[in-house]
Amino acid sequence: MIPTFKDENGFARSDVTLANWRTAPFSRWAFHNVRDLVPTAAFESRRPEPEEALDSCDRLDARLKTEIEGAATIRAYLEKAQTDGFLVMRGGRVVLEHYAPHSGVNARHIVFSISKSLTALLSGILEAEGAIDPDRPVSHYLPEAKGGAYGDSRYRDVLDMRISLDFEEAYLDPKSAFARYRRAMLWNPPMPGETPETLAAFLLTLKKGDGPHGGPFSYASPNSDLLGTIIERVTGARFSDLFEALVWQPLGARNGGYITVDAIGTPRTAGGMCVTARDLARIGELIRTGGAVGGRQIVPEAWIADMTQNGDRQAWQEGRNVDLPNGRYRSQWYQSGEADGAYCAIGIHGQWLYVDPSTETVIVKLSSQDDPLGDEDNHDIFTFFRTLCRMDL
């Protein structure tokens, strides 16, 4: 008998809608199949991985018991954390990998706000080419931004999330400005009688907060969507085409990826990228090794040094939203501020790209967690990552 969609997933395809695709159980399928729900633009690569994953959780489970209090096994920890795909790379080689039954090596998965960090790589390349100057005002690139929240801000303030913005990331409030934002990006169904709004138009309606720009760290996803809008404006090219040509293809990615777009094709650079775990790990390894692959410099080494070493500690302390007490934030990446020099990119619902240069370790965790912010408030995830980094894998 040919299996039906419902047999495999426990629900029918018609049960998955824009109103529920980020909730359980539908997210386990939807996070791998976003393009079936939202318009997308692709960045291509045509060399899929061998299907077999390197699943070595069992080999390490006995040792984990003594390393992490309360975690019986690696596999149990990953399952509890609703993990779809998990990968550890050490010295450029995959040493641990695990996928849930509904996932796999070649399964692309939405990475949510890790998209911000990937967008910043493209921004860094364009900075080196002279197309973008971080110290210029946003209005230099988008004259129509004058009069709105971003009218007197610098591009650098946007990169570092130091924009004074009258906006709250209220993920679970259906009546908030954030819900309107998600409707503009086509992630939520339209409201009855509401005039459709594009993502770029929404960004221009935002109001400035009470304080000046350049103050405390203040996480706001619209900032990162603004980056994508500016990148397309200054280059005259589609974001997906630029990312493919300047990052994805030179990286040697094995699978193509894609990014969600709005009704007129504006890219959702704050959260819409969908890639495989292994290709995301290749991004982490690219940054860890200085931005070059096969002798070709892809991301400027000076930009990586600035990203990993700079960032205002006081600004972070005044506004941090992630459990990194000594941390910093620079160019859309989180810095641990610890002796190991670890840095990471984070997405809601349990998406992680974690790099520990001191042990040459890259960790990827792709998930479909029910709570959008569960991991970000959970110190255990950092304990888990740091323990793996210290282990002889």
Side-chain angles (χ1 to χ4, degrees):
M1 177 182 295
I2 298 175
T4 66
F5 186 99
K6 191 166 186 176
D7 291 335
E8 296 172 345
N9 297 283
F11 51 86
R13 167 63 186 87
S14 58
D15 293 336
V16 189
T17 69
L18 286 179
N20 66 21
W21 69 277
R22 296 183 303 276
T23 62
F26 311 111
S27 57
R28 291 197 300 273
W29 176 83
F31 287 3
H32 285 103
N33 296 278
V34 175
R35 68 186 341 168
D36 284 15
L37 298 160
V38 184
T40 61
F43 40 94
E44 296 292 352
S45 184
R46 305 181 187 278
R47 298 175 293 170
E49 310 273 5
E51 286 290 344
E52 185 176 355
L54 177 66
D55 194 335
S56 52
C57 289
D58 294 338
R59 176 174 59 84
L60 300 172
D61 277 344
R63 295 169 53 200
L64 181 70
K65 293 178 184 177
T66 61
E67 295 279 355
I68 299 182
E69 183 179 355
T73 65
I74 291 179
R75 193 183 304 277
Y77 187 94
L78 295 177
E79 290 174 356
K80 180 182 179 181
Q82 298 172 281
T83 306
D84 299 322
F86 183 76
L87 182 153
V88 180
M89 185 179 282
R90 176 69 56 78
R93 184 173 65 89
V94 176
V95 294
L96 172 63
E97 195 171 29
H98 172 75
Y99 295 96
H102 58 272
S103 186
V105 171
N106 290 301
R108 286 166 288 191
H109 193 289
I110 189 167
V111 298
F112 290 107
S113 288
I114 292 177
S115 306
K116 296 174 170 67
S117 306
L118 301 182
T119 297
L121 303 184
L122 183 54
S123 177
I125 294 169
L126 295 175
E127 287 175 33
E129 294 182 353
I132 291 175
D133 179 350
D135 291 324
R136 281 191 177 273
V138 165
S139 59
H140 172 78
Y141 303 109
L142 294 176
E144 62 269 37
K146 293 180 179 178
Y150 300 100
D152 60 345
S153 69
R154 297 180 307 154
Y155 188 89
R156 167 54 65 192
D157 296 328
V158 179
L159 275 175
D160 291 350
M161 293 287 185
R162 298 179 69 183
I163 294 291
S164 177
L165 194 65
D166 183 13
F167 182 81
E168 181 183 357
E169 299 260 326
Y171 295 101
L172 302 178
D173 182 356
K175 297 181 180 180
S176 65
F178 192 81
R180 181 175 142 231
Y181 173 43
R182 279 186 161 167
R183 292 194 296 275
M185 67 181 78
L186 306 182
W187 280 28
N188 280 11
M191 296 287 285
E194 183 179 57
T195 301
E197 187 175 25
T198 66
L199 182 55
F202 172 83
L203 297 176
L204 295 177
T205 68
L206 294 173
K207 303 300 182 183
K208 187 177 178 180
D210 293 335
H213 299 306
F217 170 81
S218 181
Y219 187 91
S221 289
N223 297 339
S224 306
D225 284 318
L226 186 74
L227 295 178
T229 300
I230 292 174
I231 286 170
E232 289 199 333
R233 177 67 63 85
V234 301
T235 62
R238 296 172 73 210
F239 178 89
S240 54
D241 292 340
L242 282 170
F243 193 77
E244 177 182 312
L246 298 181
V247 178
W248 209 242
Q249 292 283 358
L251 173 70
R254 298 295 294 272
N255 277 277
Y258 56 91
I259 184 170
T260 69
V261 298
D262 75 354
I264 60 171
T266 305
R268 184 73 243 267
T269 47
M273 288 196 183
C274 303
V275 299
T276 68
R278 286 189 181 180
D279 282 336
L280 188 57
R282 290 184 174 102
I283 288 284
E285 182 67 5
L286 171 71
I287 304 306
R288 186 191 73 80
T289 55
V293 172
R296 176 182 177 182
Q297 195 71 36
I298 301 174
V299 180
E301 193 168 11
W303 184 91
I304 294 173
D306 177 79
M307 182 272 287
T308 55
Q309 297 170 22
N310 290 323
D312 191 296
R313 190 181 300 276
Q314 183 62 33
W316 172 258
Q317 290 297 332
E318 293 176 3
R320 68 185 177 95
N321 66 340
V322 174
D323 190 14
L324 292 171
N326 298 313
R328 305 183 310 278
Y329 189 86
R330 183 71 165 177
S331 296
Q332 309 278 295
W333 287 77
Y334 295 90
Q335 312 302 320
S336 71
E338 302 297 337
D340 57 17
Y343 48 93
C344 59
I346 310 172
I348 58 171
H349 296 284
Q351 324 312 319
W352 289 84
L353 172 57
Y354 183 90
V355 182
D356 179 351
S358 71
T359 60
E360 301 184 348
T361 304
V362 174
I363 300 175
V364 170
K365 182 179 181 291
L366 303 178
S367 315
S368 49
Q369 291 179 355
D370 298 335
D371 182 355
L373 299 176
D375 267 353
E376 295 188 28
D377 295 326
N378 189 347
H379 182 73
D380 287 348
I381 193 70
F382 288 110
T383 300
F384 181 56
F385 290 161
R386 288 165 181 155
T387 298
L388 287 174
C389 289
R390 292 193 303 266
M391 292 176 72
D392 180 9
L393 303 176

